[in-house]
């Protein structure tokens, strides 16, 4: 066992997975990433603002590098247009978002889970980018790797959604149990000639060749474009390309569906949680079972696109309690919308972490 | 044989548009300098200037409005094959929307050419004035605004560009482009352009409304991206030895409260590490104002026989407070069963059962928090003194910490004096 923090584990995992450039603008509570990245990434650059950060990253990615940044809501807000660009250009990159209490500047040193629906709606048109959410130090390691892998394999920006309590709390942890991470290689692409930057294979993913290639002309484009990467307006080819952006991720979702399910035989009640609230849910589950209650626990780690596998687990439970550190219940809204359902309940809070006792209370009657 | 940079003579611009003249000259300059199409990466912005992609045989990347220089910076520093040239093209609208990017690329002297096609207005949206529209042009357009334009050539120069120039005579375009392409580092060329659809229609008229030509340079090495080899942040080695014992059975929650500069955060980590060396699980988190150099500093440590999931501390088992700032912050967290260990200076009738010690007097400002925490933990038999000493040993101020731990035993007075 040694005392370690989540920022360090994530940073190390990213580099081992092959991320080679960190572009950052410091922001609490993502500063530890910045500090670790300065030591660990092959190339570290300090951007002057978060718009520049994401643009530089897009440039690095387009040139064949694998860039990472870490930010928090105020920085993420500035990045949204560039995130759209990276999504449209299909550029691999990783954005770590450490949630903190909002709205607005809020409280920089207080954790929260308030940015899920911003990410859900970040891409104009409602397209989804993969959002992974670690709920333990094992997840910090494994999901950082999966995030890099998903970014490369599906040519897409990926968000690792964390919270202050996950990345700025030290815990005793046995690192020797972590699996080895192998560098994610961008497999030698099978290129159909003539090469076109957006001609996709059967999996919906166009082989990625970076700018500056000696043999193939590369054209990347943030505007509506056809297979060749040139602007086309509403041509069927361009619309098919835009539609592919959705199919590419939703069609391959089973390849990056991550969750933890602790199911109790005969349980009709399910606690649903993610990220920093998951630990309270784990403790609450143990407490409820000690009381003889039959309860299961689902911790969702692939938040977006919402995996069908998650939806089928939810369908099996009569009563569901969503536990998340925000007031409106963003995960619940993501899945069930704003309509009230008697059996879908929420434990919500802002300003401090939800305690196990607050979850247990929800099962008192 | 040189391969053509342009794939067509048909320009995507309105007839007579200055952008076409500039792009044709850029293509010629590239060809004459020996660049093959795939040696060149064109980064195009939004607006009329951004229509260039389809007429070029080069690599192309078409991004967002105003961001071309930032995107180009990433491309330039990210390329792994030498001998490539990054050329960003934007209009005057793009140059002001992303002025920061232009200055940053110049400040770093990133190897690239930025061509700003300045037609003094926003062409694509109908001819509105831009931040580069001159007063003379605005007067001619009967626009009631005498705000002067940015001089991006001087701005880029001041920011550190290797080269920056403003040109207006089409006959000179090619030579200027060639010089920029040959300059290692950042070169900006602002090209005065006709916009027959919304702006100036004749070169003669253009000369009357634009600022004069200008050429500035600076000897500076270009930015280099050096990708280094780094070592791991931690080794995935096996568990630390845990030779010490502790009578903590389930979960012990400790709050340590002091002031900035009192070492509260490192004391908390030290206690957590001593716990790990005693076979316990531990968590530690800090709380302090954004201004870390002043005010309170508070830390929470949980020690537990079992793996700790939830790291919150609803009812601390003990609060150790050594300064007024710290106590003010921690006071609201005192629960009926919370033990209090306070510096004698904080004597408070509200807490008749608190334990006191002369921690500040005996261990100094920097040792007080450690002395208080260590003396209580040792006295209660929760951690062995050797476990604390062992945890201090690896610390950069290890010796000083160990000295405090050595004399801490017995500092806590059983009852208030
Ligand atoms: S609107 Fe003006 S700048 Fe745009 S293409 Fe036409 S002439 Fe050129």
């Amino acid at each position: 066992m040694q005392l370690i923090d989540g920022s360090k584990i994530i940073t190390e995992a990213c580099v081992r997975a092959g991320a080679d450039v960190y572009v950052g603008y410091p922001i609490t509570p993502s500063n530890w990433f910045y500090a670790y990245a300065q030591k660990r990434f092959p190339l570290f650059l300090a951007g002057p603002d978060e718009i520049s950060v994401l643009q530089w990253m897009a440039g690095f990615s387009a040139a064949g590098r694998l860039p990472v940044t870490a930010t928090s809501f105020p920085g993420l807000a500035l990045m949204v247009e560039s995130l759209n660009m990276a999504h449209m250009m299909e550029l691999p990159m990783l954005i770590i978002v450490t949630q903190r209490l909002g709205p607005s500047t809020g409280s920089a040193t207080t954790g929260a889970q308030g940015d899920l629906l911003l990410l859900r709606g970040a891409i104009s048109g409602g397209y989804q980018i993969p959002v992974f959410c670690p709920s333990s130090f094992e997840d910090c390691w494994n999901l950082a790797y999966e995030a890099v892998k998903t970014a490369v394999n599906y040519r897409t920006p990926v968000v690792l959604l964390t919270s202050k309590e996950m990345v700025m709390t030290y815990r005793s942890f046995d690192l020797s149990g972590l699996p080895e991470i192998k560098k994610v290689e961008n497999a030698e692409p099978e290129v159909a000639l003539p090469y076109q930057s957006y001609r996709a294979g059967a999996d919906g993913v166009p082989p990625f060749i970076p700018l500056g290639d000696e043999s193939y002309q590369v054209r990347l484009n943030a505007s509506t474009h056809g297979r060749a990467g040139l602007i086309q307006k509403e041509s069927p080819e361009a619309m098919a390309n835009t539609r592919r952006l959705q199919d590419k991720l939703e069609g391959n979702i089973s390849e990056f569906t991550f969750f933890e399910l602790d199911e109790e035989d005969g349980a009709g009640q399910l606690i649903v949680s993610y990220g920093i609230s998951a630990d309270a849910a784990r403790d609450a589950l143990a407490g409820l079972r000690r009381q003889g209650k039959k309860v299961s626990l689902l911790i969702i780690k692939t938040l977006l696109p919402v995996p069908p596998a998650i939806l089928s687990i939810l369908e099996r439970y009569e009563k569901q309690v969503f536990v998340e550190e925000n007031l409106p219940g963003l995960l619940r809204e993501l899945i069930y919308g704003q309509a009230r359902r008697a059996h879908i309940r929420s434990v919500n809070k802002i300003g401090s972490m939800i305690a196990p006792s607050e979850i247990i209370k929800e099962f008192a009657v | 044989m040189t391969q053509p940079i342009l794939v067509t003579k048909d320009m995507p611009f309105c007839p007579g548009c200055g952008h076409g003249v500039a792009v044709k000259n850029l293509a010629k300059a590239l060809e004459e300098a020996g660049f093959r199409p795939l040696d060149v990466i064109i980064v195009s912005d939004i607006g009329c200037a951004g229509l260039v992609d389809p007429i070029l045989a080069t690599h192309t990347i078409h991004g967002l409005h105003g961001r071309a220089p930032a995107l180009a910076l990433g491309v330039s520093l990210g390329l792994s094959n030498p001998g490539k040239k990054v050329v960003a093209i934007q209009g005057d609208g793009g140059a002001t929307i992303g002025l920061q990017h232009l200055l940053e690329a110049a400040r770093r002297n990133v190897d690239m050419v930025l061509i700003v096609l300045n037609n003094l207005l926003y062409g694509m949206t109908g001819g509105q004035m831009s931040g580069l529209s001159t007063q003379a042009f605005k007067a001619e357009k009967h626009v009631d605004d005498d705000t002067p334009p940015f001089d991006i050539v001087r701005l880029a120069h001041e920011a550190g560009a290797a080269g920056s120039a403003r040109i207006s005579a089409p006959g000179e375009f090619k030579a200027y482009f060639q010089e920029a392409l040959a300059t290692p580092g950042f070169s900006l060329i602002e090209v005065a352009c006709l916009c027959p659809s919304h702006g100036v229609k004749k070169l003669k008229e253009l000369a009357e409304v634009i600022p004069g030509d200008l050429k500035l340079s600076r000897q500076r090495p270009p930015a280099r991206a050096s990708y280094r080899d780094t070592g791991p942040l931690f080794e995935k080695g096996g568990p630390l030895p845990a030779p010490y014992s502790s009578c903590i059975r389930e979960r012990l929650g400790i709050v340590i409260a002091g002031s900035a500069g009192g070492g509260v955060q490192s004391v908390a980590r030290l206690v957590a590490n001593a716990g790990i060396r005693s076979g316990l699980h531990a968590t530690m988190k800090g709380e302090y104002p954004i201004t870390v150099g002043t005010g309170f500093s508070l830390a929470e440590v949980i020690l537990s026989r079992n793996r700790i999931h939830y790291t919150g501390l609803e009812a601390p088992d003990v609060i150790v407070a050594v300064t007024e700032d710290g106590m003010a912050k921690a006071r609201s967290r005192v629960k009926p069963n919370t033990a209090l260990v306070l510096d004698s200076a904080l004597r408070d009738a509200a807490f008749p059962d608190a334990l006191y010690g002369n921690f500040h007097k005996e261990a100094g400002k920097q040792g007080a928090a450690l002395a208080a925490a260590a003396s209580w933990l040792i006295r209660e038999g929760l951690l062995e003194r050797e476990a604390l000493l062992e945890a201090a040993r690896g610390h950069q101020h290890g010796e000083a910490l160990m000295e405090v731990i050595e004399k801490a035993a017995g500092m806590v007075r059983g009852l208030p004096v």
Side-chain angles (χ1 to χ4, degrees):
Chain A
M1 303 270 253
Q2 56 174 282
L3 202 61
I4 195 164
D5 59 88
S7 303
K8 197 181 225 179
I9 296 175
I10 290 171
T11 307
E12 180 66 22
C14 286
V15 175
R16 289 193 189 203
D20 53 1
V21 178
Y22 185 96
V23 187
Y25 187 93
I27 184 167
T28 308
S30 257
N31 294 333
W32 291 8
F33 288 108
Y34 191 93
Y36 291 132
Q38 261 176 314
K39 289 194 201 130
R40 185 63 174 106
F41 270 75
L43 185 69
F44 174 93
L45 281 181
D49 60 83
E50 285 91 345
I51 296 177
S52 300
V53 164
L54 220 70
Q55 287 292 323
W56 293 7
M57 284 171 67
F60 278 108
S61 180
R65 307 284 176 180
L66 195 45
V68 177
T69 193
T71 190
S72 186
F73 166 76
L76 176 64
L78 291 187
M79 290 175 179
V80 168
E81 191 193 15
S82 299
L83 186 62
N84 276 257
M85 182 189 90
H87 168 73
M88 189 67 160
M89 285 183 174
E90 301 183 63
L91 296 175
M93 62 174 66
L94 176 60
I95 299 153
I96 300 164
V97 177
T98 309
Q99 296 169 100
R100 66 187 219 188
L101 183 66
S104 185
T105 313
S107 291
T109 53
T110 302
Q113 294 182 281
D115 298 330
L116 176 60
L117 291 188
L118 169 64
L119 290 166
R120 174 60 190 91
I123 306 297
S124 181
Y127 303 88
Q128 310 200 57
I129 46 171
V131 175
F132 297 160
C133 180
S135 67
S136 65
F137 279 9
E138 285 88 348
D139 286 351
C140 286
W141 182 258
N142 294 325
L143 288 181
Y145 165 72
E146 295 292 348
V148 169
K149 191 169 108 180
T150 304
V152 172
N153 287 354
Y154 298 100
R155 269 188 77 166
T156 179
V158 174
V159 171
L160 195 64
L161 186 64
T162 71
S163 179
K164 183 247 172 184
E165 303 281 358
M166 182 60 65
V167 301
M168 290 186 76
T169 298
Y170 292 93
R171 289 169 182 265
S172 54
F173 187 67
D174 181 5
L175 294 161
S176 64
L178 296 176
E180 284 304 324
I181 287 181
K182 280 225 311 261
K183 192 169 174 244
V184 178
E185 299 287 353
N186 189 356
E188 194 63 33
E190 271 180 44
V191 172
L193 294 178
Y195 175 72
Q196 290 180 308
S197 293
Y198 297 106
R199 179 163 31 180
D203 59 356
V205 188
F208 182 60
I209 292 184
L211 290 171
D213 190 80
E214 294 290 345
S215 317
Y216 302 115
Q217 182 189 26
V218 175
R219 291 191 186 276
L220 301 171
N221 207 317
S223 299
T224 303
H225 54 265
R227 285 188 293 270
L230 292 173
I231 292 181
Q232 289 183 6
K233 289 210 181 294
E234 302 83 23
S235 76
E237 183 185 323
M239 288 305 103
N241 185 68
T242 301
R243 223 174 287 118
R244 181 181 55 75
L245 292 175
Q246 169 155 329
D247 300 342
K248 175 178 81 168
L249 294 168
E250 292 179 14
N252 290 301
I253 182 78
S254 62
E255 299 294 319
F256 50 93
T257 294
F258 306 106
F259 61 87
E260 193 177 303
L261 180 61
D262 186 338
E263 237 173 351
E264 168 118 4
D265 270 352
Q269 314 187 89
L270 180 71
I271 304 173
V272 185
S273 194
Y274 62 105
I276 193 60
S277 297
D279 269 329
R282 290 182 181 109
D283 281 350
L285 183 78
L288 287 165
R289 286 180 179 170
R290 276 198 299 273
Q291 294 175 8
K293 296 221 160 81
K294 281 186 174 297
V295 183
S296 298
L297 170 65
L298 172 65
I299 295 170
I300 304 179
K301 300 176 183 181
T302 301
L303 290 171
L304 291 171
V306 178
I310 298 285
L311 296 175
S312 17
I313 293 168
L314 291 175
E315 277 165 18
R316 299 208 293 266
Y317 285 86
E318 176 67 16
K319 176 178 172 182
Q320 299 168 18
V321 176
F322 282 73
V323 179
E324 45 186 324
E325 203 179 311
N326 57 58
L327 285 185
L330 304 182
L331 177 64
R332 188 182 75 160
E333 186 172 332
L334 175 71
I335 291 173
Y336 292 108
Q338 295 206 351
R340 296 281 149 196
R341 286 174 167 81
H343 300 298
I344 311 296
R345 311 272 281 276
S346 281
V347 177
N348 301 112
K349 190 180 186 182
I350 53 168
S352 64
M353 287 199 295
I354 295 167
S357 59
E358 292 166 306
I359 305 170
I360 290 175
K361 233 187 284 165
E362 187 60 37
F363 289 83
V365 276
Chain B
M1 196 186 79
T2 50
Q3 298 161 289
I5 296 285
L6 279 183
V7 297
T8 171
K9 286 199 175 60
D10 294 335
M11 292 291 114
F13 313 108
C14 307
C17 175
H19 291 9
V21 183
V23 173
K24 282 180 188 159
N25 277 284
L26 172 65
K28 254 186 256 154
L30 283 163
E31 284 164 9
E32 288 177 19
F35 287 99
R36 298 164 304 158
L38 298 188
D39 292 337
V40 182
I41 296 116
I42 299 288
V43 183
S44 63
D45 215 85
I46 298 293
C48 299
L51 297 171
V52 296
D53 294 38
I55 59 171
L56 296 164
T58 63
H59 297 291
T60 57
I61 176 168
H62 179 69
L64 301 183
H65 201 192
R67 315 295 169 202
L71 185 56
L73 180 151
V75 173
S76 177
L77 296 180
L79 287 171
S80 48
N81 31 6
K84 304 290 164 190
K85 198 74 199 183
V86 177
V87 180
I89 301 176
Q90 64 181 173
D92 41 323
T96 54
I97 203 173
L99 190 54
Q100 165 73 60
H101 306 314
L102 184 162
L103 296 176
E104 189 69 27
R107 181 170 83 92
R108 291 168 183 264
N109 203 24
V110 175
D111 191 25
M112 59 186 270
V113 176
L114 173 63
I115 297 176
V116 178
L117 301 176
N118 181 11
N119 54 16
L120 306 169
L121 48 72
Y122 303 150
M124 197 169 259
T125 49
Q128 301 87 345
M129 295 301 105
S130 83
L132 300 193
S133 303
T134 58
Q135 286 139 304
F137 180 65
K138 286 187 274 200
E140 195 158 285
K141 284 278 180 189
H142 308 291
V143 174
D144 184 19
D145 172 14
D146 67 352
T147 316
F150 280 116
D151 187 333
I152 55 168
V153 174
R154 283 187 203 279
L155 285 173
H157 177 72
E158 287 303 324
S164 56
R166 179 161 45 239
I167 55 178
S168 53
E172 293 175 1
F173 287 1
K174 194 180 78 181
Y176 272 83
F177 291 153
Q178 262 163 352
E179 190 177 337
L181 290 168
T183 304
F186 182 83
S187 280
L188 175 133
I189 303 189
E190 180 190 338
V191 184
C193 288
L194 298 177
C195 172
S197 298
H198 303 290
V200 184
K201 295 178 173 51
K202 296 210 175 79
L203 282 174
K204 205 167 79 224
E205 293 159 15
L206 190 60
E208 284 160 22
V209 294
I210 54 168
D213 288 5
L214 180 65
K215 188 175 167 197
L216 301 165
S217 64
R218 183 191 287 283
Q219 286 292 326
R220 258 189 94 194
R224 293 253 174 269
S226 37
Y227 292 80
R228 6 158 241 180
D229 282 329
T230 60
L233 291 171
F234 52 81
E235 298 299 339
K236 281 177 60 232
L240 288 180
Y244 306 103
S245 63
S246 160
C247 66
I248 294 172
R249 267 168 306 166
E250 291 200 347
R251 194 171 153 118
L252 181 80
I254 308 166
V255 170
I256 304 172
S259 298
V264 167
Q265 305 302 320
S266 52
V267 172
R269 273 199 301 277
L270 190 153
V271 169
N273 269 315
I276 293 170
R277 284 167 167 80
S278 312
L280 300 168
H281 294 261
T283 69
M284 179 270 164
K285 65 175 96 169
E287 191 188 341
Y288 30 83
I290 298 283
T291 47
V292 292
T294 178
F296 72 92
S297 177
L298 190 136
E300 295 176 4
V301 178
I302 299 172
L303 299 175
S304 169
R305 199 48 73 187
N306 305 310
R307 178 166 180 169
I308 302 163
H309 293 297
Y310 173 63
T311 61
L313 204 48
E314 289 167 274
D317 294 287
V318 61
I319 293 177
V320 176
V322 294
T323 67
E324 275 181 29
D325 279 346
M327 190 56 198
K329 188 70 192 170
R331 179 177 274 269
S332 65
R333 307 196 52 182
V334 180
K335 296 279 165 357
N337 293 324
T338 305
L340 278 169
V341 180
L342 306 177
D343 191 88
S344 306
L346 300 174
R347 196 156 294 145
D348 190 330
F351 304 119
D353 297 330
L355 304 171
Y356 292 92
N358 288 323
F359 306 116
H360 260 102
K361 283 215 183 88
E362 295 180 38
K365 179 175 178 259
Q366 296 190 338
L370 177 57
S375 63
W376 185 78
L377 287 163
I378 295 166
R379 171 193 149 119
E380 301 291 316
L382 296 165
L383 289 178
E384 291 182 55
R385 188 172 64 157
E386 284 65 31
L388 290 160
L389 288 170
E390 182 65 31
R393 196 156 284 140
H395 196 275
Q396 67 177 127
H397 306 300
E399 276 181 23
L401 296 175
M402 288 165 74
E403 202 179 301
V404 173
I405 295 166
E406 291 281 8
K407 66 179 180 192
M411 259 191 220
V412 169
R413 306 283 143 73
L415 287 167
V417 189

